[in-house]
């Protein structure tokens, strides 16, 4: 049930026509002519307060059969809200050869044309893919608003009745979702507040430590092995979240995020009751014939190989350590979180293109998996507690009895 037709030489949209104009269309369409977007003749119809056009005969270009009142209302609302926010919106926009008709085609200077398709009736994944690829072949992007019969397809979910439409939008960085009025959701959309990626700085790190003794016989100093289990982020739009970097100590890694935060972690551990932190420096492993970033004794600078670290059971403990706001190059799969991005005075999220090393890295130089639980993004702060404070008068030196 199309909403748009050409009446004589005038393009008309049924849902916005004044009553007197609609009456003129119904009275004169036989003489002036009424042509649908597909090029076929049509008839103006009004049922239960809903105005639309129907074909005089069957049509293969308008896909999906008769459209429900919810479908018609959704198309109309998309166009109205888009126009309110400076977008050009053409309802039932045909391709040049009329091989397809987009429910709503929106465009804006500096942005690619976007076909917004509304699908309340059930549709197979194959058909979604076919119709999407058809738009892409014409240089047009495609977004789907899908009803309850098509949920769980990673698309934009909608529900409700023609007079009470709702649309699902993302909430927070954990990719949770909630339904709000469709007008409110579309307003966010056309304001570019529903962003596909986040941009963030690190404000704290989860430091995983285990106390040990230097195996250089001439040293024997106590120190703390350490690595990063997660980072706490603050997005440009003011949201707080964490990125999990792994559940086990990663081995023989060349580019390590620990080197970025080494100074802050050393200072925090030095001010605590935990033994001094090891130092990360470039090293070569004879065992694996690999160049990697290894830990070293903070006293004698002895190379503490990764193989030695993981060969023995260690009692790892986790602590949250605040760090100066730092940009850490994150893997594109990490930042690919669609979220509500409202400007809180710093602009909106627009992460720069990732170049060089990004974190977390899944594999080391030898191709082995080193990061576990990769790409886990959660809302909220780190769950780890603070480092234990040093008791007043404590010397800061450690012996076997200190363990």
């Amino acid at each position: 049930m199309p909403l748009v037709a050409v009446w004589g030489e005038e393009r008309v949209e049924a849902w916005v026509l004044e009553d007197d104009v609609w009456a003129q269309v119904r009275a004169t369409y036989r003489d002036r002519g009424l042509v649908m977007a597909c090029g076929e003749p049509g008839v103006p119809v009004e049922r239960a307060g809903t105005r639309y056009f129907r074909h005089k005969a069957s049509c293969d270009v308008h896909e999906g059969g008769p459209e429900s009142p919810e479908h018609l209302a959704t198309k109309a609302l998309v166009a109205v809200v888009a126009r309110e926010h400076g977008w050009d919106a053409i309802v039932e926009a045909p391709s040049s050869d009329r091989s397809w008709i987009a429910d709503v085609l929106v465009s804006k200077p500096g942005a690619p044309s976007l076909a917004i398709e509304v699908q309340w009736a059930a549709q197979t994944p194959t058909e979604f893919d076919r119709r999407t690829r058809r738009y892409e072949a014409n240089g047009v992007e495609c977004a789907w608003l899908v009803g309850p019969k098509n949920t769980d397809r990673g698309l934009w979910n909608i529900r409700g009745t023609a007079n009470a439409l709702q649309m699902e939008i993302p909430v927070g960085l954990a990719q949770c979702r909630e339904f709000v009025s469709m007008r409110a959701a579309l307003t966010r959309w056309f304001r570019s507040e529903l962003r596909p990626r986040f941009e963030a700085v690190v404000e704290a790190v989860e430091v995983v430590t285990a106390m040990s003794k230097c195996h250089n016989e001439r040293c024997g100093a106590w120190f703390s092995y350490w690595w990063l289990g997660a980072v706490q982020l603050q997005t440009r739009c003011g949201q707080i979240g964490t990125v999990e970097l792994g559940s086990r100590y990663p081995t023989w890694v060349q580019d390590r995020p620990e080197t970025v935060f080494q100074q802050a972690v050393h200072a925090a551990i030095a001010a605590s009751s935990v033994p001094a932190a090891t130092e990360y420096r470039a090293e070569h492993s004879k065992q694996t014939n690999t160049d990697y970033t290894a830990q070293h004794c903070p006293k004698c600078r002895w190379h503490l190989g990764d193989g030695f670290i993981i060969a023995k059971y260690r009692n790892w403990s986790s602590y949250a350590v605040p760090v100066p706001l730092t940009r850490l190059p994150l893997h594109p799969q990490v930042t690919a979180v669609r979220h509500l991005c409202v400007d809180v005075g710093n602009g909106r999220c627009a992460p720069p293109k990732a170049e060089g090393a990004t974190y977390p890295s899944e594999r080391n130089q030898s191709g082995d998996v080193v990061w576990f639980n990769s790409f886990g993004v959660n809302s909220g702060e780190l769950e780890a507690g603070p480092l234990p404070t040093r008791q007043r008068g404590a010397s800061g030196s450690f012996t076997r009895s200190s363990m």
Side-chain angles (χ1 to χ4, degrees):
M1 296 186 291
L3 289 174
V4 176
V6 176
W7 174 48
E9 296 183 356
E10 181 181 355
R11 192 175 193 273
V12 291
E13 297 176 333
W15 83 94
V16 297
L17 292 179
E18 298 291 341
D19 291 346
D20 58 338
V21 178
W22 178 250
Q24 289 180 41
V25 172
R26 299 190 72 177
T28 65
Y29 78 92
R30 292 181 180 88
D31 298 327
R32 293 186 58 175
L34 191 71
V35 179
M36 317 286 269
C38 58
E40 296 296 324
V43 177
V45 178
E46 183 169 355
R47 290 181 180 173
T50 299
R51 296 171 177 173
Y52 59 93
F53 304 103
R54 66 172 175 81
H55 297 86
K56 282 188 174 181
S58 61
C59 174
D60 295 330
V61 179
H62 279 98
E63 298 169 296
E67 295 176 350
S68 65
E70 288 75 23
H71 192 121
L72 296 175
T74 302
K75 288 196 298 186
L77 186 58
V78 168
V80 168
V81 177
R83 292 166 183 169
E84 288 175 352
H85 292 87
W87 292 73
D88 292 325
I90 303 174
V91 178
E92 295 159 16
S95 62
S96 58
D97 61 358
R98 285 193 167 90
S99 61
W100 51 258
I101 297 177
D103 278 339
V104 186
L105 186 68
V106 299
S107 60
K108 191 176 185 179
S113 295
L114 174 66
I116 300 178
E117 282 290 339
V118 180
Q119 190 66 37
W120 286 88
Q123 182 170 266
T124 65
T126 300
E127 187 65 4
F128 274 113
D129 185 63
R130 182 190 71 81
R131 295 174 66 182
T132 300
R133 289 180 181 276
R134 187 175 58 185
Y135 285 117
E136 293 173 346
N138 283 260
V140 177
E141 296 184 358
C142 180
W144 288 91
L145 307 185
V146 299
K149 294 180 180 179
N150 296 291
T151 55
D152 301 323
R153 299 196 187 279
L155 307 173
W156 295 96
N157 294 321
I158 57 177
R159 69 183 186 186
T161 62
N163 296 321
L165 294 168
Q166 292 186 320
M167 180 172 167
E168 196 177 46
I169 62 172
V171 179
L173 294 183
Q175 303 192 58
C176 298
R177 293 173 172 270
E178 69 177 11
F179 277 97
V180 300
S181 76
M182 187 176 290
R183 170 173 277 279
L186 291 172
T187 296
R188 298 288 196 188
W189 189 351
F190 288 114
R191 284 180 181 172
S192 298
E193 291 179 353
L194 298 177
R195 297 271 167 146
R197 294 184 177 277
F198 68 79
E199 178 185 5
V201 292
V202 177
E203 61 179 13
V205 295
E206 179 192 13
V207 178
V208 186
T209 71
M211 189 163 67
S212 186
K213 188 176 182 181
C214 182
H215 50 271
N216 178 2
E217 295 180 354
R218 292 176 292 180
C219 177
W222 288 96
F223 55 72
S224 294
Y225 289 119
W226 67 281
W227 53 283
L228 298 185
V231 293
Q232 179 175 308
L233 307 171
Q234 180 184 130
T235 68
R236 183 178 286 275
C237 55
Q239 299 189 57
I240 304 299
T242 60
V243 174
E244 301 292 333
L245 297 182
S247 61
R248 294 165 60 181
Y249 178 74
T251 55
W252 297 294
V253 184
Q254 192 170 46
D255 296 304
R256 298 192 64 117
E258 287 84 359
T259 60
V260 178
F261 304 101
Q262 186 157 235
Q263 184 175 354
V265 171
H266 280 189
I269 289 180
S272 74
S273 61
V274 174
T278 57
E279 178 185 358
Y280 279 93
R281 289 188 288 109
E283 195 58 73
H284 180 79
S285 169
K286 295 180 179 178
Q287 177 182 347
T288 62
N289 192 29
T290 300
D291 293 322
Y292 72 110
T293 301
Q295 301 194 54
H296 295 76
C297 173
K299 182 177 181 181
C300 70
R301 300 171 65 86
W302 187 265
H303 173 206
L304 306 166
D306 281 358
F308 177 81
I309 294 173
I310 64 173
K312 181 179 178 181
Y313 171 78
R314 301 187 187 281
N315 186 23
W316 297 101
S317 300
S318 296
Y319 305 103
V321 174
V323 298
L325 297 181
T326 304
R327 286 192 174 275
L328 182 70
L330 295 171
H331 194 286
Q333 285 183 250
V334 172
T335 60
V337 175
R338 192 178 296 277
H339 66 292
L340 176 59
C341 185
V342 179
D343 186 355
V344 293
N346 300 315
R348 296 197 180 103
C349 292
K353 182 178 180 181
E355 297 180 355
T358 58
Y359 306 100
S361 302
E362 285 190 283
R363 300 181 181 276
N364 63 19
Q365 199 176 40
S366 300
D368 299 323
V369 174
V370 294
W371 293 113
F372 297 83
N373 300 336
S374 295
F375 313 132
V377 180
N378 305 295
S379 292
E381 300 180 349
L382 294 169
E383 295 183 357
L387 282 160
T389 57
R390 179 176 296 174
Q391 298 297 318
R392 183 176 297 179
S395 66
S397 60
F398 293 84
T399 64
R400 184 174 297 275
S401 61
S402 304
M403 296 181 64

